[in-house]
Amino acid sequence: MEQPPPPYIPPPKISVPPPPKAVQRVTHVKPPHPVPPSPTPSPEPVPAPPQGPPADAVPDHSAGARPINGAQAVYPDEAMEENREGHVTASCDILPTGKTANCTIVSSSGGHEFVESALDFLRRARYQPAVVNGAPVTEHHHVLHIDFTMGDD
């Protein structure tokens, strides 16, 4: 006589939670203020400074640190799957229109995907431009930090 097959027991259902939502933060770092030279007594009169900003003036870092058009950096899929975090620091000119130009990467960590995502973000982002005498002006060498971190938000 033949034995009946064992009863079928389905495998347990396994629920895998989705990866945590990525959090991006963009911060602004102002350069240190130049320290004026210590006053030295001089018998000669001090000439008046020339009118208008000199060509080598310290950059005016009064532009906004957050995009005003709601642009956000996109967390790279490959990095998210691997639970990798990273950051990118870039130096850009912020034009009177609020667009970025001449962006260069100062430093990065986590992989090239973060650099590509940060550069794409900087091309799409629009910032509040710096203003001098009530008119928007180009702000040179504005330093922006883009952090790619995993979070529970």
Side-chain angles (χ1 to χ4, degrees), residues 2 15 17 23 39 60 66 92-93 98 120 124 126 137 142:
E2 217 175 282
S15 175
V23 176
D60 174 11
R66 293 183 169 271
C92 300
D93 295 344
D120 178 59
R124 292 182 289 111
R126 299 296 175 265
V137 296
H142 189 91

Side-chain angles (χ1 to χ4, degrees), residues 5-149:
Y8 174 74
I9 301 174
K13 293 184 180 182
I14 299 174
S15 175
V16 178
K21 189 175 179 184
V23 176
Q24 296 89 25
R25 294 184 302 252
V26 177
T27 58
H28 170 71
V29 176
K30 292 184 179 182
H33 292 291
V35 178
S38 59
T40 56
S42 173
E44 302 172 25
V46 177
Q51 296 297 331
D56 60 344
V58 175
D60 174 11
H61 287 276
S62 60
R66 293 183 169 271
I68 58 174
N69 65 341
Q72 292 187 352
V74 176
Y75 209 102
D77 290 335
E78 183 180 332
M80 186 177 287
E81 289 171 6
E82 297 173 358
N83 289 325
R84 275 190 292 135
E85 296 184 342
H87 77 271
V88 177
T89 301
S91 174
C92 300
D93 295 344
I94 297 183
L95 305 176
T97 60
K99 293 181 178 182
T100 58
N102 305 320
C103 292
T104 58
I105 301 301
V106 176
S107 67
S108 68
S109 72
H112 68 87
E113 299 96 344
F114 293 115
V115 172
E116 291 173 9
S117 179
L119 288 173
D120 178 59
F121 161 71
L122 291 171
R123 279 189 286 276
R124 292 182 289 111
R126 299 296 175 265
Y127 292 88
Q128 182 67 41
V131 176
V132 174
N133 296 329
V137 296
T138 298
E139 178 184 347
H140 299 281
H141 311 295
H142 189 91
V143 178
L144 296 162
H145 300 282
I146 299 120
D147 292 319
F148 295 91
T149 56

